[in-house]
């Protein structure tokens, strides 16, 4: 079973939130926290609701960079991976070893295959969730036949 989960951890006075994003494709999984404004999540959700509009379209939610001086790195990318229109969610994370101890470093890069309707549903759910983040948002789907 594959899943993606969004959980609000903290909210700042200016409405910036710290969220924990967890995901799995059944074989690999990860969790990474980031700091983001709900409007950025809403924009990502709005784009996912109508994804894909073309085979070349990518929809991205990104935080940080590959620069290890930045707190962390998260890159979620909805993409079409073949000419038949099959889609996936690409997930890249790096905690940039914020504790400065080698055994606490973590980075991931994997894809979660899904139907476009799953990403559309995720988009609708993210848009609704940005209005009330009091409960985690989790979406699961079966990838065994993809």
């Amino acid at each position: 079973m594959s899943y993606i989960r969004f959980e609000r951890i903290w909210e700042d006075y200016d409405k910036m939130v710290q969220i924990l994003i967890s995901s799995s494709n059944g074989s690999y999984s990860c969790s990474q926290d980031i700091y983001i404004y709900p409007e950025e999540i809403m924009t990502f959700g709005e784009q996912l609701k109508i994804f894909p509009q073309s085979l070349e379209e990518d929809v991205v939610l990104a935080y940080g960079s590959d620069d290890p001086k930045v707190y962390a790195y998260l890159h979620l990318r909805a993409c079409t991976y073949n000419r038949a229109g099959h889609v996936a969610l690409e997930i890249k994370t790096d905690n940039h070893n914020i504790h400065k101890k080698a055994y606490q470093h973590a980075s991931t890069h994997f894809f979660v295959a899904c139907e476009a309707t799953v990403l559309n549903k995720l988009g609708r759910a993210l848009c609704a969730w940005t209005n009330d983040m009091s409960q985690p948002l989790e979406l699961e789907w079966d990838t065994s036949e993809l």
Side-chain angles (χ1 to χ4, degrees), residues 4 50 71 102 104 132 141:
I4 190 160
I50 58 172
Y71 171 69
Q104 291 178 316
D132 180 9
W141 62 94

Side-chain angles (χ1 to χ4, degrees), residues 20-64:
L20 179 66
I21 300 173
S22 305
S23 186
S24 176
N25 65 6
S27 297
Y28 298 96
S29 62
C30 69
S31 292
Q32 180 62 57
D33 69 309
I34 62 169
Y35 295 89
I36 193 167
Y37 287 97
E39 296 80 20
E40 295 173 80
I41 299 168
M42 175 75 81
T43 299
F44 183 62
E46 290 290 342
Q47 293 171 331
L48 286 177
K49 285 176 11 180
I50 58 172
F51 180 81
Q53 295 295 301
S54 72
L55 293 176
E56 293 78 29
E57 179 187 23
D58 288 345
V59 173
V60 176
L61 178 67
Y63 171 83

Side-chain angles (χ1 to χ4, degrees), residues 10 24 29 57 73 95-96 124 140:
W10 172 83
S24 176
S29 62
E57 179 187 23
Y73 176 66
N95 72 356
H96 288 171
R124 289 189 300 276
E140 293 183 347

Side-chain angles (χ1 to χ4, degrees), residues 70-89:
V70 176
Y71 171 69
Y73 176 66
L74 171 82
H75 185 86
L76 297 179
R77 180 177 70 106
C79 60
T80 316
Y81 64 85
N82 64 21
R83 300 315 264 164
H86 295 110
V87 301
L89 190 60

Side-chain angles (χ1 to χ4, degrees), residues 92-111:
K92 288 192 228 180
T93 66
D94 195 312
N95 72 356
H96 288 171
N97 199 13
I98 58 172
H99 303 289
K100 305 301 180 211
K101 297 176 182 171
Y103 65 89
Q104 291 178 316
H105 178 248
S107 63
T108 61
H109 185 195
F110 61 93
F111 289 80

